[in-house]
């Protein structure tokens, strides 16, 4: 059974930083591209970033470019999202998601999400 | 970025009814479309990919069609568990984008 479990969310002030983690089990993380997708309250999902199996190719949505960094540790079966200079509009549930195919694609498994709230 | 526009934004129906949800892409995206179902407090669940291929384990009352810029998700004979919000998603090019959602409610 495939499981993705996010952690690291919480309340942070504007301008602050946070690091999200996603622990994967039930499959070999090294075989898949992985993504972070977020969903603001009452809104649709928004793709944030993804990373290639070896970590050497990454893509970001424009609104987080330069502020968020996606990374992975295949040996630890873990995915990360480092977020700095957080803004109120970054408030959302953040999901890690497995990409079904190589590169930009759909997402066949999702975690339960971790809530990030940016507020003073 | 490619914009995905869904219609209707909400819809009321009864169990046993059939419905069609539409999704229009702002530019041609071949068949690089997926559909998801989301229930409150849960992550989205993949229903269809490649515009028309049913994900493993998804009931056959769900189907998808379309290519280019126009796509549809059809559900025949609605069951109680189908009342949820549905999203389309394009993966033709970065950034990957989602529609704004269609909320399906019990009439």
């Amino acid at each position: 059974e495939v499981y993705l479990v996010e952690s690291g969310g919480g309340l942070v002030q504007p301008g602050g930083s946070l690091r999200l983690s996603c622990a994967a089990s039930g499959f070999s993380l090294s075989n898949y591209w992985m993504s972070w997708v977020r969903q603001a309250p009452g809104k649709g999902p928004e793709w944030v970033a993804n990373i290639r199996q070896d970590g050497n190719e990454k893509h970001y949505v424009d609104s987080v470019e330069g502020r968020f960094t996606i990374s992975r540790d295949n040996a630890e079966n873990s995915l990360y999202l480092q977020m700095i200079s957080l803004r109120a509009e970054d408030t959302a549930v953040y999901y890690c998601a497995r990409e079904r195919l190589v590169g930009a694609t759909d997402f066949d498994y999702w975690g339960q999400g971790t809530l990030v709230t940016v507020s003073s | 970025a490619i914009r995905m526009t869904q219609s209707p934004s909400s819809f009321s129906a009864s169990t046993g009814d059939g419905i069609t949800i539409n999704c229009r892409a702002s530019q041609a995206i071949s068949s690089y479309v997926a559909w998801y179902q989301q229930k409150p407090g849960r992550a989205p669940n993949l229903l269809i990919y490649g515009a028309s291929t049913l994900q493993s384990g998804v009931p056959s009352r769900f189907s998808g069609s379309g290519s280019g810029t126009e796509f549809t998700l059809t559900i025949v004979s609605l069951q109680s568990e189908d009342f949820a919000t549905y999203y389309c998603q394009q993966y033709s090019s970065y950034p990957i984008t989602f529609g704004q959602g269609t909320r399906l409610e019990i009439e």
Side-chain angles (χ1 to χ4, degrees):
Chain A
E1 185 88 33
V2 170
Y3 288 103
L4 297 167
V5 180
E6 303 92 339
S7 60
L11 175 64
V12 61
Q13 292 188 339
S17 301
L18 215 51
R19 188 194 195 209
L20 306 183
S21 299
C22 172
S25 60
F27 69 103
S28 179
L29 189 71
S30 61
N31 290 337
Y32 291 88
W33 281 70
M34 295 294 294
S35 273
W36 287 97
V37 179
R38 67 185 178 183
Q39 189 167 26
K43 302 294 185 182
E46 179 186 33
W47 173 81
V48 173
N50 70 352
I51 185 169
R52 199 171 71 184
Q53 292 98 320
D54 61 4
N56 289 332
E57 183 175 343
K58 306 172 185 181
H59 300 270
Y60 298 91
V61 68
D62 283 352
S63 60
V64 308
E65 185 84 56
R67 299 189 300 122
F68 290 12
T69 302
I70 189 172
S71 62
R72 64 194 295 159
D73 184 337
N74 290 334
E76 294 292 325
N77 274 331
S78 292
L79 177 73
Y80 305 101
L81 187 68
Q82 178 69 50
M83 305 183 293
I84 67 171
S85 302
L86 282 160
R87 306 166 180 167
E89 55 265 34
D90 296 318
T91 294
V93 174
Y94 284 72
Y95 298 100
C96 68
R98 191 179 85 168
E99 299 193 10
R100 189 179 53 82
L101 294 176
V102 172
T105 182
D106 47 83
F107 310 105
D108 60 355
Y109 286 94
W110 300 60
Q112 85 290 348
T114 187
L115 177 62
V116 172
T117 303
V118 184
S119 175
S120 55
Chain B
I2 297 173
R3 182 176 177 86
M4 303 296 282
T5 304
Q6 288 182 233
S7 61
S9 56
S10 64
F11 190 83
S12 295
S14 302
T15 54
D17 289 348
I19 68 154
T20 295
I21 298 171
N22 301 295
C23 182
R24 173 175 291 174
S26 60
Q27 64 189 73
I29 56 172
S30 185
S31 297
Y32 297 116
V33 164
W35 289 94
Y36 299 84
Q37 176 193 70
Q38 187 176 32
K39 297 182 178 179
R42 304 288 298 274
N45 180 51
L46 179 65
L47 299 174
I48 286 168
Y49 60 88
S52 60
T53 302
L54 208 61
Q55 171 70 344
S56 176
V58 174
S60 59
R61 61 181 180 272
F62 292 89
S63 65
S65 64
S67 67
T69 61
E70 301 287 341
F71 303 89
T72 59
L73 172 70
T74 299
I75 314 172
V76 299
S77 189
L78 281 165
Q79 304 299 302
S80 58
E81 61 266 30
D82 300 336
F83 291 93
T85 301
Y86 293 85
Y87 295 97
C88 59
Q89 174 228 329
Q90 69 81 20
Y91 50 96
S92 173
S93 64
Y94 289 111
I96 296 166
T97 50
F98 291 80
Q100 83 282 8
T102 295
R103 184 175 179 182
L104 179 58
E105 300 171 317
I106 297 177
E107 192 164 44

